[in-house]
Amino acid sequence: GVAFFCVWLVLFSTHWGAEFTSYSLFLREGLHLSMVDMGWYMAVEFAAIVVTILLFVRFHRTPRVSRAVIVFGLLASGAGHIGMVLQPVSISCAFRFLHGIGDGLIFMVFYLGVARFFVAERTGGNAGIVNTMTMLGMVLGARRFHEDTQTLTPFSRASATR
């Protein structure tokens, strides 16, 4: 259980490393957004994450997360990540919102996973496992997509986050 959970954390969080490497390039070169527009575009995703978490906490009454929530979160995150490269910007932004919903659900899976797999007396310390595995995934993703961005054109470099 714990080993699978940790591997899953690493694998899922690799896409965040890809975003750290290529996201701003995509917004500037792929969607041709100004700095202000980039801020608004990013705010849409953050709003989706916050609203999703607040709704999840409001309506989810058990410490266990159903497989359906996990699958929907992964599919929403992945589909949103892929669809964000579409034009026009409004379509891209809608897909980024979908991505934020998926990431918000996965955040809840991460932290409820800590509650499920670790004893309550050690939850604070064991939350470090989530942070460590997430950081490892982000580093691996950033490293992997950094290599891709060295030889690609600006738009394909930006869309390498797919």
Side-chain angles (χ1 to χ4, degrees):
V2 173
F4 176 78
F5 180 66
C6 289
V7 169
W8 184 77
L9 287 171
V10 170
L11 291 175
F12 181 80
S13 60
T14 58
H15 91 276
W16 289 327
E19 288 174 340
F20 288 167
T21 305
S22 303
Y23 187 42
S24 61
L25 290 172
F26 166 70
L27 296 179
R28 186 184 70 216
E29 297 176 19
L31 294 180
H32 308 289
L33 298 180
S34 68
M35 292 297 282
V36 171
D37 291 338
M38 284 185 205
W40 284 110
Y41 186 94
M42 291 179 191
V44 167
E45 179 187 10
F46 299 141
I49 291 171
V50 169
V51 168
T52 299
I53 290 172
L54 291 173
L55 289 173
F56 185 91
V57 170
R58 172 85 168 103
F59 296 108
H60 191 80
R61 297 290 180 206
T62 174
R64 296 180 80 82
V65 178
S66 72
R67 221 175 248 141
V69 169
I70 296 169
V71 169
F72 180 78
L74 289 171
L75 290 175
S77 182
H81 203 84
I82 292 167
M84 70 181 251
V85 300
L86 299 174
Q87 295 282 353
V89 173
S90 58
I91 298 295
S92 175
C93 197
F95 274 103
R96 200 61 190 176
F97 187 84
L98 178 64
H99 178 78
I101 291 169
D103 276 6
L105 289 172
I106 297 304
F107 283 139
M108 296 310 300
V109 170
F110 282 2
Y111 290 103
L112 289 174
V114 169
R116 178 177 176 198
F117 290 116
F118 304 105
V119 294
E121 292 79 22
R122 296 186 182 175
T123 298
N126 289 326
I129 290 175
V130 170
N131 294 334
T132 301
M133 295 297 108
T134 301
M135 184 62 65
L136 176 62
M138 289 187 320
V139 168
L140 292 173
R143 177 70 182 142
R144 168 69 179 98
F145 287 98
H146 169 72
E147 292 169 4
D148 283 351
T149 62
Q150 300 307 301
T151 58
L152 300 174
T153 65
F155 184 75
S156 61
R157 182 182 322 142
S159 63
T161 61
R162 290 187 291 165

